[in-house]
Amino acid sequence: MESPQPLSLGRVLLTGAAGGLGRQLRARLRKRCSLLRVSDVATMEPAQAGEEVVVAPLEDRAAVHQLLAGMDAVVHLGGISTEQPFDAILQANIVGVYNVYEAARKQGVKRIVFASSNHVTGYYRQDEVIDPTMPVRPDGYYGISKAFGENLSRFYFDRYGIETVCLRIGSSFPEPRDRRMLATFLSYDDLERLVVASLTTPIAGHTILYGMSDNATSWWDNTPARHIGYRPQDSSEPFRAAKEAAQPKIDPKDPAAIYQAGGFVHMGPFDN
Amino acid sequence: MESPQPLSLGRVLLTGAAGGLGRQLRARLRKRCSLLRVSDVATMEPAQAGEEVVVAPLEDRAAVHQLLAGMDAVVHLGGISTEQPFDAILQANIVGVYNVYEAARKQGVKRIVFASSNHVTGYYRQDEVIDPTMPVRPDGYYGISKAFGENLSRFYFDRYGIETVCLRIGSSFPEPRDRRMLATFLSYDDLERLVVASLTTPIAGHTILYGMSDNATSWWDNTPARHIGYRPQDSSEPFRAAKEAAQPKIDPKDPAAIYQAGGFVHMGPFDN
Amino acid sequence: MESPQPLSLGRVLLTGAAGGLGRQLRARLRKRCSLLRVSDVATMEPAQAGEEVVVAPLEDRAAVHQLLAGMDAVVHLGGISTEQPFDAILQANIVGVYNVYEAARKQGVKRIVFASSNHVTGYYRQDEVIDPTMPVRPDGYYGISKAFGENLSRFYFDRYGIETVCLRIGSSFPEPRDRRMLATFLSYDDLERLVVASLTTPIAGHTILYGMSDNATSWWDNTPARHIGYRPQDSSEPFRAAKEAAQPKIDPKDPAAIYQAGGFVHMGPFDN
Amino acid sequence: MESPQPLSLGRVLLTGAAGGLGRQLRARLRKRCSLLRVSDVATMEPAQAGEEVVVAPLEDRAAVHQLLAGMDAVVHLGGISTEQPFDAILQANIVGVYNVYEAARKQGVKRIVFASSNHVTGYYRQDEVIDPTMPVRPDGYYGISKAFGENLSRFYFDRYGIETVCLRIGSSFPEPRDRRMLATFLSYDDLERLVVASLTTPIAGHTILYGMSDNATSWWDNTPARHIGYRPQDSSEPFRAAKEAAQPKIDPKDPAAIYQAGGFVHMGPFDN
Amino acid sequence: MESPQPLSLGRVLLTGAAGGLGRQLRARLRKRCSLLRVSDVATMEPAQAGEEVVVAPLEDRAAVHQLLAGMDAVVHLGGISTEQPFDAILQANIVGVYNVYEAARKQGVKRIVFASSNHVTGYYRQDEVIDPTMPVRPDGYYGISKAFGENLSRFYFDRYGIETVCLRIGSSFPEPRDRRMLATFLSYDDLERLVVASLTTPIAGHTILYGMSDNATSWWDNTPARHIGYRPQDSSEPFRAAKEAAQPKIDPKDPAAIYQAGGFVHMGPFDN
Amino acid sequence: MESPQPLSLGRVLLTGAAGGLGRQLRARLRKRCSLLRVSDVATMEPAQAGEEVVVAPLEDRAAVHQLLAGMDAVVHLGGISTEQPFDAILQANIVGVYNVYEAARKQGVKRIVFASSNHVTGYYRQDEVIDPTMPVRPDGYYGISKAFGENLSRFYFDRYGIETVCLRIGSSFPEPRDRRMLATFLSYDDLERLVVASLTTPIAGHTILYGMSDNATSWWDNTPARHIGYRPQDSSEPFRAAKEAAQPKIDPKDPAAIYQAGGFVHMGPFDN
């Protein structure tokens, strides 16, 4: 018996395609889409078969409306993905995500996967386990802007029926970079699983979950989002001994060790 | 070293033995019981060694009392297992389950496994994850009758000490039949594990849990019932690609897609 | 300035109008309805201006459908209101409430106030405080039948949009009759407030709350039902000294003292 | 014995002083402050003794920093207080609140009372009772901007120790204007009590609570914020009969009746 | 009609009768008991009619067993009621409470009111609202010893059926002494109400609640203990202006201001 | 590539090293510590390389302070580990654990792994699933003393920043000894994993979790302690058939079967 084809993702827009995660997802989603349109403000690799490549800033309302035209779904990674001064975050992440949702409303796009961040809840402690229904505690302007996106998308679901899965992504790299990432690690393969599940689950509603692999150590409980069907298959455990050897001492009075935010607690203020 | 025999289930009555799940369980329980009495209103296969076969309608009080005589435990699958007009449900499921519990009280049967149904909570959404302690939201007369059985059995436990494990069975078939069943699938082997665990756990009290395999996508959280010791070993995942290929589009405005009930939301009203 | 008229309740059916609470509510609701239709199986006082009096058993489907014709709302007190053998409960309370809701569906009645009972949760202990979202623990067939009505009405709301306020009435008498009723007492004036609030709140949805006055001692927390707007103004406190004097000793090993059910735990079994 | 003076509020900045609530609070706070600085973009009444009047837009960073210089506390009512197109909200409410908190950080202001809004959770239903720890469900850009302010202020507390009490104000008018406001009404006297309690409680931390009077009908539970010491003394009840007489019928299918948001659900989209 | 006598409390032992609360309760309980036996290690006022006065240290096992002989109930205030070195606490509060419960078991005493303390949860913050089901966070050896008594009494209930009401007393003085006590104040009259309710409620089980008046500012939520029937009638509010005038400034970085413990956080360590 | 060394545990004190679990842990921890100091009141095997062996009773304050000198961490198994008369428990477990924490404070030890016990919550039923945030229900003096240690260690964390992981150990033996232990079993290898994770997690705070293997049947939910990073890899399942065969009947009315405590419910009282 031949194995059936996996479900096609249809016509998908991937924003932020020039970034680290964007490049990973572009290569992985391409083969599952009837059309993959990729966008960024930065230069991207040329379009392959089945792809369209568009350079456009998220702050440009008209350009964003164009980007979403004809799409079935959006994977929205675009914007700034680290802590920066407020004015930069304001444009890229707050105005940007508004433009994406207004475009979705006008263009009739019905499902968005929104790359939120664990920094939405970075001021919980590393000795606490939280779930997505608990109050947010952002650790900077970046986290605040991602909480803004989560709330905006909740509104577009309640008002206009546009579904969103908000992924509070942990640390998605080839491997964990330090001991903190033993808890927050999300392998690229698991990132792909998470995005594909978010795009294909029949009823997504408005759902928030943490983007992490099946790490032994974890601060997050995704029980309220089991309906998405995400099952991680990787873990940070194979990297544990090396990470612990490289960083045997942790200063338990350093806020970067105390809070889930890690080093973000030391960024800013950005005086102006 | 020889492996010890599995725990004998003793003298067990299986009602509804002519139905789909009844036939599966009959074959599987037979070898673990000192006596397996099977009953139904429909014709059943002839008795094998260690079996008794009794045709009896659950509405017949005297017959039901006879059925339970001498039994150690009951697996109660009997009654109607789909949405039907109220009057039919009333007799088979409401009067029927009352007869079973009164018989248990009089005959001294101390443990019942009651086949309830996920339709007890069918009006939760497919983007919600629920657990057995949350308020019921039945999706029809069938679900209401199963909630009746859960409540009746709670009373017989609180008042008379008769233990019941209520199994809110999802979709137990050889394989999932559609994309909804990727979430609700319960393999026959896992059904057997669930029933055996329910019969053999030393203290069952009155417990409600969902009957599902270890599916990647899930709407239900059985954490409050871990004491039963049910560990599913199958999953709907091997069937995913085929089911998605066969049903690539879901109408997100169809109540059958929105609610966990699935197609039950379109049954009735039954005008009379 | 003249005080404005209170909101008219419109055309209201009151079932169970010959019972204790029915007679109280009939007199109190009459003046606020454009039409008050009252029904019972027992003889009632003759109709006054603005009233219709109909003798009809709830088990009579056609009669019940007639009863609801043309009504804006129903206050459903009818049926058996004490512990009795199952067969009696089955007809009056289970078949009866089904007939009422089917009639509501067909006749287009959009709001029902359903007299449920604290006996739906009678097997909680008197040293526990519960709220309406917790699992039911009925203390007899009567309580089970009221839980059935709550679940049935939830279905008619989820499926057909018919709103219900389920009142888990405590002990509504001219005054508490024993020490237990210091906790469960509902004065007639508060009963009226509760029913009027349930009929006039703009959006009732499907709501369950306990019917009690503002008693110092309480086992129930109505926080989840604040939207109904019920504010009790009476209390059992003025009766405390007399009730304590009359019943100075409580046997703490008597299930009737341990459980919220009170004496219901000693009723039955009803052998047949 | 002479009554002691009430606690002085010190040097307080009141933004949005030209608006409806601003004018009320200006008159009420003046006598309790050593200095009351009031600001708005609109014209205000001239300064009285103990007052300073400053016209300044919240979008003007430098002006806002000046406004907060030397203040002990801020009551931040400024910005847009109704649903409007995103670009207007973005400047007045998002950039504006950022400017206020950055100014607080630099100027050493340690306590802010932030006028948030019930529209942060407007997409809960009118038959639900919520508390401030539950996930937000904003009903428009206005509500989203207020959620932004709540999250930003949480960050300034976690990172810089600046305390904020977020008041999710209901409907603060001389009297309720319609039946919905029977649930959301906040009298001016209770508004004053709420602001004064928020300014004087020794440890405010970061607290969110609903601004409502002691209304019989309520959708909100402020239990998690009892430490603020707010005790409403007014109620919508005296206005009930008049409001019900003026609006006897509610369309239960109108989203404005279903959701706590009321008429906000009908505002927008604002095409651009 | 003559008012009935209040319920007699029977034969009651009051330990710690020489202390501040002991003297208050002695005078108030005397008239409601058939016999009031009072004990302390310190000198007490001579016995009045209906009283017995016994000097006995709680560490003296035999003496304590004598104390409880023939009693219907115990109000156990005895032991150390402030932070002290561990060895003193160990004898008076840990060994002492063990002696009381063993004596109760042997002497057949079935109800104990145990004076626990808010210091069992003193390390919660003053901007948190907690209830008695949350994990303890004691603020010193005194609080730890009171948690010990709560746990011990839970065991004696679960194992031997001896009922206990644990009162986590706030600050019971003629009036609040500082601003913290605006939240923790328990008037003597309310203390009496609390103890009387604890002694007379028919089924007490094992219950923990906070001993506070109806203060506007509160850190504690007694909802889970409503069955006790305690309704405070006093409040700290009349003392607010004076307390705020006397202590206008609070240092928000002082742990005594941050934590509910107040000044207890500055006691110890007791070097030895 | 060579595998990196596992993280060294540094200088560790293991108390109770002569007991069953102590001997297991001594052998397993030795190779991961720069120094392993072991202590007990009983005779222990002679010191091997990298070990120090000290005989010292926990009641001896000076000796305990010596024991902790120079240590980085403590694994505190010492004291009595079964139900015994109170006076013995008082010295070994209550005075003993106080001595350990005072020594830690003075000697600057910053992390303690405290062997608590499932008997802290033994009076929950075997048909309940609990988590570490629920109220304790100890089943004897032993359980009470372990709850004391948990509370004391919470205080030393809140006050002095000394971190503790409290392990509510189930049944750690070579294999389960009876059917109850199918739920409570903790293999020695999993015990080691649990202790190592507790010692090496960067931020432990004050955490309580149950010590159990990945048993199919479980009464405990460790979700709130996922940050510790404990992942059991063993299970009681391979022993199930043998244990069930050896103990086919359970008396459901025996408190030892009803409560999680098992046989502890039958110990005592210890008359004196």
Side-chain angles (χ1 to χ4, degrees), chain C residues 65-106:
Chain C
H65 283 238
Q66 280 294 99
L67 270 182
L68 272 78
M71 294 292 106
D72 296 314
V74 178
V75 178
H76 180 45
L77 307 183
I80 291 171
S81 59
T82 182
E83 185 62 355
Q84 293 199 13
F86 181 72
D87 292 343
I89 297 277
L90 179 73
Q91 289 306 314
N93 288 19
I94 290 180
V95 173
V97 77
Y98 165 75
N99 288 343
V100 168
Y101 276 86
E102 269 297 276
R105 178 178 69 79
K106 292 202 173 175

Side-chain angles (χ1 to χ4, degrees), chain A residues 125-129 179 212 214-223 240-242 244-245 248 250 252 257-258, chain F residues 3-7 32 72 110 157 163 200-207 223-231:
Chain A
R125 293 172 53 98
Q126 294 198 12
D127 52 16
E128 289 180 293
V129 174
R179 289 183 66 183
M212 56 177 166
D214 184 28
N215 306 320
T217 307
S218 178
W219 306 324
W220 309 321
D221 175 15
N222 275 336
T223 299
R240 180 175 294 276
E244 289 182 344
I250 302 284
I258 294 173
Chain F
S3 177
Q5 293 296 314
L7 191 64
R32 298 201 51 177
D72 295 315
K110 286 304 188 192
F157 175 64
E163 295 186 303
T200 56
T201 196
I203 297 292
H206 184 270
T207 298
T223 299
R226 284 188 182 183
H227 57 280
I228 295 298
Y230 167 59
R231 280 281 179 99

Side-chain angles (χ1 to χ4, degrees), chain C residues 141-218:
Chain C
Y141 303 133
Y142 171 59
I144 292 167
S145 76
K146 290 302 184 183
F148 176 88
E150 292 184 0
N151 293 343
L152 184 89
S153 60
R154 175 83 219 185
F155 166 68
Y156 276 84
F157 174 64
D158 284 331
R159 179 68 184 272
Y160 302 113
I162 299 171
E163 295 186 302
T164 295
V165 182
C166 298
L167 309 179
R168 290 184 179 166
I169 294 173
S171 305
S172 198
F173 296 106
E175 61 177 67
R177 293 178 169 178
D178 56 20
R179 287 183 68 183
R180 175 181 173 274
M181 290 193 190
L182 295 175
T184 61
F185 180 61
L186 173 68
S187 75
Y188 289 146
D189 285 353
D190 279 342
L191 170 66
E192 179 186 356
R193 287 180 191 107
L194 180 55
V195 169
V196 169
S198 300
L199 288 170
T200 57
T201 197
I203 298 291
H206 184 270
T207 298
I208 302 172
L209 77 169
Y210 287 90
M212 56 178 167
S213 286
D214 183 29
N215 306 321
T217 307
S218 178

Side-chain angles (χ1 to χ4, degrees), chain F residues 56-131:
Chain F
L58 295 169
E59 300 87 330
D60 180 338
R61 199 158 295 176
V64 171
H65 283 238
Q66 281 294 100
L67 269 182
L68 271 80
M71 294 292 105
D72 295 315
V74 177
V75 178
H76 180 44
L77 306 183
I80 290 172
S81 60
T82 184
E83 184 62 357
Q84 294 198 13
F86 181 72
D87 293 342
I89 297 277
L90 179 73
Q91 290 306 314
N93 289 18
I94 290 180
V95 173
V97 76
Y98 165 74
N99 287 343
V100 167
Y101 276 87
E102 270 296 275
R105 179 179 69 79
K106 290 202 173 175
Q107 303 291 351
V109 177
K110 286 304 188 192
R111 174 84 54 96
I112 298 180
V113 177
F114 170 56
S116 182
S117 167
N118 74 87
H119 292 285
V120 166
T121 50
Y123 262 112
Y124 283 93
R125 292 172 53 98
Q126 295 198 11
D127 52 16
E128 289 181 292
V129 175
I130 59 177
D131 75 48

Side-chain angles (χ1 to χ4, degrees), chain C:
Chain C
M1 188 184 91
E2 278 181 286
S3 178
Q5 292 296 313
L7 191 64
S8 167
L9 304 175
R11 299 168 58 89
V12 174
L13 168 67
L14 174 70
T15 71
L21 301 193
R23 291 194 307 271
Q24 285 295 324
L25 283 175
R26 179 179 174 183
R28 291 155 184 271
L29 296 181
R30 178 193 300 139
K31 49 183 175 278
R32 298 203 49 179
C33 298
S34 56
L35 172 69
L36 182 66
R37 185 178 293 163
V38 300
S39 77
D40 208 303
V41 285
T43 310
M44 292 159 282
E45 292 185 18
Q48 301 199 9
E51 287 189 334
E52 293 176 11
V53 174
V54 185
V55 173
L58 295 169
E59 299 88 331
D60 180 339
R61 199 158 295 177
V64 171
H65 283 238
Q66 280 294 99
L67 270 182
L68 272 78
M71 294 292 106
D72 296 314
V74 178
V75 178
H76 180 45
L77 307 183
I80 291 171
S81 59
T82 182
E83 185 62 355
Q84 293 199 13
F86 181 72
D87 292 343
I89 297 277
L90 179 73
Q91 289 306 314
N93 288 19
I94 290 180
V95 173
V97 77
Y98 165 75
N99 288 343
V100 168
Y101 276 86
E102 269 297 276
R105 178 178 69 79
K106 292 202 173 175
Q107 303 291 352
V109 177
K110 286 304 188 192
R111 173 83 54 98
I112 298 179
V113 177
F114 169 56
S116 182
S117 167
N118 75 88
H119 292 285
V120 166
T121 50
Y123 263 112
Y124 282 93
R125 292 171 54 98
Q126 295 198 12
D127 52 16
E128 289 180 294
V129 175
I130 59 176
D131 75 48
T133 70
M134 293 170 69
V136 304
R137 294 194 185 167
D139 56 38
Y141 303 133
Y142 171 59
I144 292 167
S145 76
K146 290 302 184 183
F148 176 88
E150 292 184 0
N151 293 343
L152 184 89
S153 60
R154 175 83 219 185
F155 166 68
Y156 276 84
F157 174 64
D158 284 331
R159 179 68 184 272
Y160 302 113
I162 299 171
E163 295 186 302
T164 295
V165 182
C166 298
L167 309 179
R168 290 184 179 166
I169 294 173
S171 305
S172 198
F173 296 106
E175 61 177 67
R177 293 178 169 178
D178 56 20
R179 287 183 68 183
R180 175 181 173 274
M181 290 193 190
L182 295 175
T184 61
F185 180 61
L186 173 68
S187 75
Y188 289 146
D189 285 353
D190 279 342
L191 170 66
E192 179 186 356
R193 287 180 191 107
L194 180 55
V195 169
V196 169
S198 300
L199 288 170
T200 57
T201 197
I203 298 291
H206 184 270
T207 298
I208 302 172
L209 77 169
Y210 287 90
M212 56 178 167
S213 286
D214 183 29
N215 306 321
T217 307
S218 178
W219 306 324
W220 308 321
D221 175 15
N222 274 337
T223 299
R226 284 188 184 183
H227 58 278
I228 295 297
Y230 168 57
R231 280 280 179 100
Q233 298 182 19
D234 297 324
S235 165
S236 64
E237 212 58 19
F239 307 99
R240 179 175 295 276
K243 295 303 142 188
E244 289 182 344
Q247 193 184 6
K249 293 282 180 201
I250 303 283
D251 174 3
K253 296 188 174 161
D254 181 354
I258 293 172
Y259 294 106
Q260 298 186 6
F264 274 53
V265 297
H266 293 312
M267 296 179 190
F270 302 96
D271 283 296
N272 38 29

Side-chain angles (χ1 to χ4, degrees), chain F residues 215-267:
Chain F
N215 306 320
T217 308
S218 177
W219 307 324
W220 308 321
D221 175 14
N222 275 337
T223 299
R226 284 188 182 183
H227 57 280
I228 295 298
Y230 167 59
R231 280 281 179 99
Q233 297 182 17
D234 297 324
S235 165
S236 64
E237 212 58 19
F239 308 100
R240 179 176 295 276
K243 295 303 141 189
E244 290 181 344
Q247 192 184 7
K249 292 283 180 201
I250 303 284
D251 174 2
K253 294 189 174 161
D254 180 354
I258 294 173
Y259 294 106
Q260 297 187 6
F264 273 53
V265 297
H266 293 313
M267 295 179 191

